[in-house]
Amino acid sequence: PVVFISQQRVLIPAKLEITSREQGEDNIYIVKVTISNFVESLNNRRLSLKIDSLGNVLEASDTPQFVFGFKPAVMVGRNLNHCLDVFTGIPIKGGEHGLDMQHILADMVSKTLEHKDSSWRCGLHLPMKAEDIAAAKSNIIQANMLANQTRAALLTLEINEQEDNNGMVSVSSMTAHLWRAEQLMGVVEVDKQGFIVKAGCCALHQPGPLFGVASASLLRTKLSKWLNVPSTYEGLLIDQKKKGALKRKAADVKIGPLRHAVGRHNDGDPVSVTVQAVVREGTGPERLVVKLSMEKAEQGNPNFARRLLGLEQVEDSEAGRISPAPGAGSAESPDGAIGQKSMKPRGGVKFGDDNVGSTSMNDRAASEDAGTEEEEENMNDDGGKSRKV
């Protein structure tokens, strides 16, 4: 999908269908534009699952089958450890050192409430029981089939809280959003000094998920802080490796080269992104519009759960080696840097009734239909009870 801007500066998502036909010696291209909405556009990129505190799926969105290769309805009644590679083999309750779905999700909820745009990389496949997954992995042919059917995804949580009569706040419900990693795309605007002055143009093009941080964390930083790209306005437009580049001036270039960059995701592992800058036309200060797209979608790290709970640190300590695991407890620092800083535990995450009724997912998603150009100004607003990620 693409996003148009109306004369009233309202964002309008649409689908394009391009066909061509020959007319004499020329090719004629026909572009069909179908107006859409943000709910439908988001559903074409992600699968949304309402889950309880143990990871059991209660509801599923009407995401099209082509997104992950199966109908979302098959997820209802199953647990996340049946379909996400990072949870394979993890028990629902009673795991040693708290290595179970109950404790893992509680920790993820704490991190989401602390940093509302937290995200985690994983792989999603058709729901299978743990013993079936183990049996498949023991057979090389079945293991290859399972690997081919597993799609790289990004997991985020949307938390809804409720307050009781005594003023105690608890989690009333939560929704796991699984984004198709290959479709992740972000847009930032860079000023003449090379600083990011706008992060994201709408709900479909937020740059933060590419790095596992809030999009607002990128503001007032240089893109070179996140990726190995030039740090200047001119550097993003001119390919210094190209013959004759030294003689060119940035003022003569409107579209920069397609760059293949590598950065660091908030989980501690590398992330591969393509980068291309285009001069923004029109009135106002000179700026670059930079498109960031996922180049190499990664699935989940096998040690994800142990890292999340800090169990690798425990094991190293017991063995006489005190060396924090990469990405364990990592979070973005206040100035937006991706660090290995320990996150302060929120503590006391209390879950309410897991079956508390709520509005439908499509109704909740409809609130994202109101995206405007000034959306990033509200990204730090955390005053509501419902925190969207």
Side-chain angles (χ1 to χ4, degrees):
V2 297
V3 179
F4 293 100
I5 303 178
S6 70
Q7 291 183 338
Q8 291 75 32
R9 311 301 294 173
V10 176
L11 301 180
I12 304 174
K15 293 184 290 185
L16 299 184
E17 183 179 344
I18 303 175
T19 57
S20 64
R21 60 183 175 82
E22 293 184 0
Q23 184 172 324
E25 297 181 355
D26 299 323
N27 285 329
I28 304 298
Y29 292 92
I30 303 169
V31 180
K32 178 182 178 182
V33 179
T34 304
I35 300 300
S36 180
N37 56 65
F38 280 101
V39 175
E40 181 182 356
S41 298
L42 287 169
N43 277 343
N44 287 337
R45 294 190 178 193
R46 73 183 185 188
L47 168 62
S48 299
L49 305 170
K50 182 181 177 183
I51 59 175
D52 63 16
S53 61
L54 302 178
N56 296 311
V57 179
L58 308 177
E59 297 177 18
S61 61
D62 55 355
T63 300
Q65 184 173 343
F66 67 79
V67 178
F68 283 108
F70 56 83
K71 294 181 179 180
V74 302
M75 303 284 291
V76 178
R78 308 300 290 266
N79 192 279
L80 292 182
N81 63 8
H82 292 163
C83 57
L84 295 185
D85 60 353
V86 293
F87 299 142
T88 298
I90 294 178
I92 294 178
K93 285 184 177 182
E96 187 177 4
H97 298 301
L99 188 61
D100 54 46
M101 295 298 298
Q102 185 177 28
H103 286 88
I104 291 170
L105 283 174
D107 200 78
M108 294 174 75
V109 167
S110 292
K111 286 178 169 55
T112 299
L113 294 177
E114 187 79 17
H115 297 283
K116 66 175 184 176
D117 289 312
S118 297
S119 60
W120 300 270
R121 291 187 285 187
C122 60
L124 175 66
H125 55 74
L126 194 67
M128 299 172 62
K129 292 184 178 179
E131 53 268 28
D132 296 332
I133 295 175
K137 289 184 175 181
S138 64
N139 182 293
I140 187 169
I141 296 178
Q142 293 183 5
N144 287 334
M145 290 178 61
L146 179 60
N148 291 333
Q149 293 170 0
T150 302
R151 302 284 185 265
L154 188 78
L155 170 63
T156 63
L157 293 180
E158 178 182 334
I159 311 298
N160 290 287
E161 297 175 294
Q162 64 181 5
E163 185 174 343
D164 61 22
N165 296 330
N166 298 320
M168 294 293 292
V169 177
S170 62
V171 176
S172 60
S173 66
M174 59 180 167
T175 302
H177 297 298
L178 290 158
W179 302 78
R180 183 69 185 267
E182 292 91 340
Q183 296 181 354
L184 288 177
M185 183 186 302
V187 173
V188 298
E189 287 190 14
V190 176
D191 66 11
K192 195 68 176 176
Q193 288 70 45
F195 288 95
I196 297 174
V197 292
K198 184 175 181 179
C201 59
C202 65
L204 298 177
H205 301 103
Q206 293 296 317
L210 290 165
F211 307 102
V213 300
S215 293
S217 298
L218 279 71
L219 293 173
R220 295 174 294 280
T221 68
K222 292 200 171 187
L223 192 57
S224 57
K225 180 176 183 177
W226 306 91
L227 296 164
N228 61 338
V229 296
S231 60
T232 63
Y233 179 101
E234 294 77 10
L236 290 170
L237 275 180
I238 299 175
D239 186 357
Q240 300 292 348
K241 297 180 181 180
K242 193 172 181 180
K243 187 176 180 180
L246 296 177
K247 299 179 181 179
R248 303 184 71 187
K249 296 181 180 180
D252 301 327
V253 182
K254 297 299 181 183
I255 301 177
L258 181 66
R259 301 177 185 274
H260 304 275
V262 178
R264 183 70 58 179
H265 192 274
N266 201 28
D267 60 15
D269 291 324
V271 58
S272 300
V273 178
T274 59
V275 181
Q276 189 164 33
V278 178
V279 176
R280 190 187 72 169
E281 296 184 347
T283 58
E286 291 185 75
R287 290 184 182 179
L288 294 178
V289 177
V290 185
K291 176 185 173 184
L292 309 172
S293 302
M294 183 68 72
E295 181 175 29
K296 184 180 179 182
E298 299 287 350
Q299 298 178 9
N301 189 298
N303 296 319
F304 165 80
R306 308 189 84 84
R307 284 184 177 185
L308 185 74
L309 299 176
L311 294 182
E312 288 186 346
Q313 297 181 46
V314 173
E315 292 171 354
D316 285 342
S317 178
E318 291 175 350
R321 303 184 305 273
I322 303 177
S323 56
S330 64
E332 71 258 28
S333 56
D335 65 354
I338 301 177
Q340 301 299 324
K341 170 180 166 185
S342 297
M343 183 173 297
K344 295 180 181 179
R346 182 181 175 92
V349 176
K350 177 185 176 185
F351 288 90
D353 183 1
D354 288 328
N355 295 311
V356 172
S358 62
T359 56
S360 69
M361 290 186 183
N362 286 342
D363 290 340
R364 292 198 300 270
S367 64
E368 300 184 52
D369 202 2
T372 65
E373 265 198 320
E374 290 74 29
E375 183 174 341
E376 75 278 358
E377 295 179 3
N378 300 319
M379 294 177 71
N380 291 319
D381 183 12
D382 199 24
K385 292 297 181 184
S386 175
R387 296 178 170 85
K388 293 185 179 179
V389 182

